Amino acid sequence: MTDTILSVENLNVSFQTNNGLVRAVRGVNFDIKKGETLAIVGESGSGKSVTAKSIMHLLPKKTTQIEDGTILYEGENLINYSRKEMETIQGKEISMIFQDPMTSLNPTMKIGKQVMEGLRKHQAISKKEALEKTQEILEMVGIPNAKERMNAYPHEFSGGMRQRVVIAIALACNPKLLIADEPTTALDVTIQAQILDLMKELQKKTGTSILIITHDLGVVVNMADRVAVMYAGEIVETGTLRELFYEAKHPYTWGLLESMPKMHQDRSVPLVPISGSPPDVSNLHEGCPFAARCPYVMKVCHHHNPERTYVTDSHAASCWLLDERAPRVKHSIGGGTTNEAKTR
Ligand SMILES: Nc1ncnc2c1ncn2[C@@H]1O[C@H](COP(=O)(O)OP(=O)(O)O)[C@@H](O)[C@H]1O
Ligand SMILES: [Mg+2]
């Protein structure tokens, strides 16, 4: 018996495009334990959605090349699963929700019917049972007057209510893993918090594992047990929530943390964004992909991509500063905590 539900090893995904090969995901490794929440965080274009979609086989077959890697779900490698085999996984074992609830809902079908279809696709239950279960699920995700609202169409719901419906559909068959790709990005802040709370509450009830993808560190703090930081298609740092926020080792993570608005921050203090922009993943140079933006860049960084170095069993980063020959760097993050990239 293992307590790991999903284990992604050395995933490499590229796209064939008119501008050449886009190397969207390179050597990605992570795993998710039963009942835990892993957050993948990074700037737009860092390969978060491609990672999630490759798990679910949602990438365009024609142009996608999965060059290497394994995606072990409950010990089974999903990489070479046929469409038919994936259908036994999608929705029932693993569910996915996206940023825009409208893309997951059918605008011409009543809400109740959409939830019911999800239920009946995977479970041999009667129409009457499905109807009762639908109402139950809609109530569970906080749709008021669920019985009447089942007859409404998606456009009659607010954005937040629509995302609740999408979560209801995603959780209808008790999946063991929920992949949520920027699930609250399109919602305003108050509704965002409500949806995140809902996901946590449902996770507590069902024990579902969650992979949440976000560019927002606020969402990470709210949800994650562990965090993986992605940059230009690679995971550059991974650790527990605590390790990432208080003991970060990668200069990119430091930059992300510095750009995060502080809770009690004086609004007149400007945010510190990471200057520059991520490299073009269709034209990568040798060396560390963050070298061009890194305030601590060394000569070696331009020539060799650093290997993953473990700081603790749960905490690793890919940075030359962790090499024992590197100079010691002190960095203050999180409002005064002193961080040492290198500890002896
Ligand atoms: N179907 C596709 N064809 C070509 N390039 C793609 C495709 N999907 C994503 N990409 C590229 O892959 C990179 C990673 O994208 P994505 O995973 O969507 O980033 P994000 O971290 O914002 O979710 C980007 O450079 C994006 O343009
Ligand atoms: Mg994305």
Side-chain angles (χ1 to χ4, degrees), residues 190-223:
T190 335
I191 310 295
Q192 242 185 47
Q194 288 174 10
I195 295 291
L196 296 178
D197 283 347
L198 172 67
M199 285 172 57
K200 277 194 286 194
E201 195 185 304
L202 295 172
Q203 179 180 41
K204 226 185 254 168
K205 275 189 203 152
T206 59
T208 312
S209 308
I210 299 179
L211 171 61
I212 188 161
I213 288 173
T214 180
H215 65 272
D216 182 345
L217 284 173
V219 171
V220 176
V221 176
N222 229 306
M223 296 292 291

Side-chain angles (χ1 to χ4, degrees), residues 44 58 79 85 135 163-164 191 214 239 289-290 308 310 319:
S44 169
L58 295 177
I79 283 266
E85 285 171 311
Q135 190 185 329
Q163 198 59 306
R164 284 174 193 265
I191 310 295
T214 180
F290 190 57
R308 175 184 275 218
Y310 280 86
C319 178

Side-chain angles (χ1 to χ4, degrees), residues 288-304:
C288 172
F290 190 57
R293 291 169 88 184
C294 184
Y296 304 95
V297 66
M298 298 177 286
K299 211 170 157 193
V300 62
C301 309
H302 293 297
H303 302 292
H304 302 283

Side-chain angles (χ1 to χ4, degrees), residues 9-134:
E9 290 162 19
N10 192 29
L11 183 66
N12 288 275
V13 186
S14 298
F15 299 102
Q16 206 70 254
T17 73
N18 293 336
N19 299 322
L21 202 62
V22 173
R23 302 189 61 201
V25 169
R26 294 174 296 118
V28 158
N29 289 287
F30 62 88
D31 47 42
I32 304 177
K33 296 188 178 57
K34 289 180 180 157
E36 94 170 334
T37 301
L38 174 76
I40 297 185
V41 65
E43 281 166 289
S44 169
S46 55
K48 306 183 296 297
S49 294
V50 171
T51 301
K53 286 179 181 165
S54 41
I55 299 168
M56 294 296 272
H57 288 212
L58 295 177
L59 294 168
K61 277 234 150 53
K62 263 196 162 154
T63 53
T64 308
Q65 298 177 0
I66 299 197
E67 285 130 346
D68 203 1
T70 48
I71 295 172
L72 292 179
Y73 172 76
E74 297 265 51
E76 292 265 330
N77 190 356
L78 300 185
I79 283 266
N80 296 317
Y81 262 36
S82 66
R83 203 172 148 164
K84 225 183 170 139
E85 285 171 311
M86 274 315 286
E87 277 172 15
T88 66
I89 299 284
Q90 286 157 348
K92 198 175 171 194
E93 298 285 332
I94 311 177
S95 266
M96 186 158 172
I97 61 179
F98 300 92
Q99 174 172 341
D100 177 9
M102 269 325 231
T103 57
S104 326
L105 294 172
N106 178 343
T108 65
M109 199 193 275
K110 288 178 179 167
I111 294 287
K113 192 156 183 229
Q114 299 195 43
V115 179
M116 224 156 27
E117 285 209 336
L119 279 169
R120 296 190 78 193
K121 203 153 93 189
H122 298 292
Q123 293 173 354
I125 52 173
S126 70
K127 215 171 160 184
K128 184 163 171 284
E129 279 173 306
L131 199 68
E132 283 167 8
K133 186 109 199 269
T134 296

Side-chain angles (χ1 to χ4, degrees), residues 228-296:
V229 178
M230 262 190 109
Y231 186 78
E234 297 179 5
I235 291 181
V236 295
E237 182 156 13
T238 176
T240 63
L241 185 67
R242 236 205 95 76
E243 285 167 334
L244 251 292
F245 275 80
Y246 295 106
E247 310 269 344
K249 300 293 182 205
H250 199 289
Y252 179 63
T253 313
W254 295 341
L256 279 183
L257 291 167
E258 270 168 358
S259 70
M260 185 180 169
K262 307 287 178 300
M263 195 86 94
H264 308 290
Q265 193 168 48
D266 177 352
R267 302 254 171 229
S268 60
V269 178
L271 296 177
V272 189
I274 305 171
S275 57
S277 50
D280 175 4
V281 286
S282 62
N283 185 24
L284 284 166
H285 300 284
E286 56 180 2
C288 172
F290 190 57
R293 291 169 88 184
C294 184
Y296 304 95

